[in-house]
Amino acid sequence: RAKVQGQEEEKKGLSKEIDRLRADVSEKEGKMKGLVSDLEAVRGDLENKKGREKKMEEKISKLDKSISDLLEEQKENAAKMQSLDGQVESYKSEIEALGIEKAKQDKIAVEMVEKVKDLEERVNAKSSRVNDLEAKLSILQGEESLAKDRLVDSEQEVKE
């Protein structure tokens, strides 16, 4: 009996140990389920972050392309502006040359107008001189005519 009682005591002790181990396993299973749940949540977050990261990378890639396109366009515009600046300078030079040529032509025109005025004045002076000479000639012709008449008269008187 003592042996049976010892076995029962041992059985009770083992049963308690088994219950304690079961409780310990159950506690560890609960903790493990919590850890698995946490792990699944972390995996979900990681997948979400990877998705957002991929979208951000796509946006960054699009922005890089846009920036690259804008830089290329800016280079083209700068080249166009440089070309236009060159054309403007060329036009300025042409306008300046035309201005100088026009000034020369204006100067020549002024000189020609002055020469024409001078020639007109000389012609007018010569015309006046011719008129004066014609008037004197007319007077002299009148005097010659009178002198001839007198000569004829004198010759007539001498004949008579």
Side-chain angles (χ1 to χ4, degrees):
R1 211 179 201 204
K3 195 175 176 182
V4 170
Q5 205 175 1
Q7 283 179 343
E8 277 191 32
E9 288 280 326
E10 191 178 329
K11 191 177 172 186
K12 279 186 189 179
L14 286 173
S15 181
K16 281 184 182 179
E17 182 66 22
I18 289 173
D19 287 344
R20 188 188 60 75
L21 287 173
R22 279 189 185 151
D24 193 33
V25 165
S26 179
E27 181 184 335
K28 287 186 180 181
E29 281 179 349
K31 285 182 181 179
M32 212 162 124
K33 284 181 184 178
L35 289 173
V36 167
S37 177
D38 288 347
L39 181 61
E40 291 299 321
V42 167
R43 279 187 186 159
D45 286 347
L46 184 59
E47 289 299 317
N48 287 340
K49 287 179 182 177
K50 283 183 181 179
R52 281 184 283 196
E53 183 180 348
K54 187 174 181 178
K55 286 180 184 177
M56 290 299 262
E57 285 175 356
E58 289 171 359
K59 285 181 181 179
I60 289 170
S61 176
K62 286 179 183 177
L63 287 173
D64 284 346
K65 173 83 170 99
S66 295
I67 289 169
S68 176
D69 291 347
L70 287 172
L71 287 173
E72 187 62 32
E73 187 176 326
Q74 185 179 11
K75 284 180 187 175
E76 290 171 6
N77 286 340
K80 287 177 186 176
M81 287 300 292
Q82 191 173 14
S83 173
L84 289 174
D85 286 344
Q87 287 178 355
V88 166
E89 289 304 315
S90 174
Y91 289 144
K92 282 182 181 177
S93 296
E94 286 180 31
I95 289 169
E96 186 177 326
L98 289 172
I100 291 169
E101 185 62 31
K102 185 180 180 312
K104 287 179 183 177
Q105 289 175 356
D106 288 349
K107 183 179 177 186
I108 290 169
V110 166
E111 289 172 356
M112 290 177 76
V113 166
E114 288 174 359
K115 284 180 182 178
V116 166
K117 284 182 182 177
D118 184 52
L119 288 173
E120 284 176 346
E121 288 173 2
R122 286 207 237 143
V123 165
N124 287 338
K126 299 244 183 210
S127 179
S128 293
R129 176 88 171 126
V130 166
N131 288 340
D132 289 347
L133 290 174
E134 284 177 345
K136 285 182 183 178
L137 178 64
S138 179
I139 292 170
L140 289 175
Q141 284 175 342
E143 287 177 2
E144 179 187 18
S145 178
L146 282 174
K148 279 183 183 178
D149 285 346
R150 282 188 201 150
L151 181 65
V152 170
D153 286 344
S154 293
E155 286 178 353
Q156 291 248 355
E157 279 180 17
V158 172
K159 281 184 187 180
E160 291 178 0

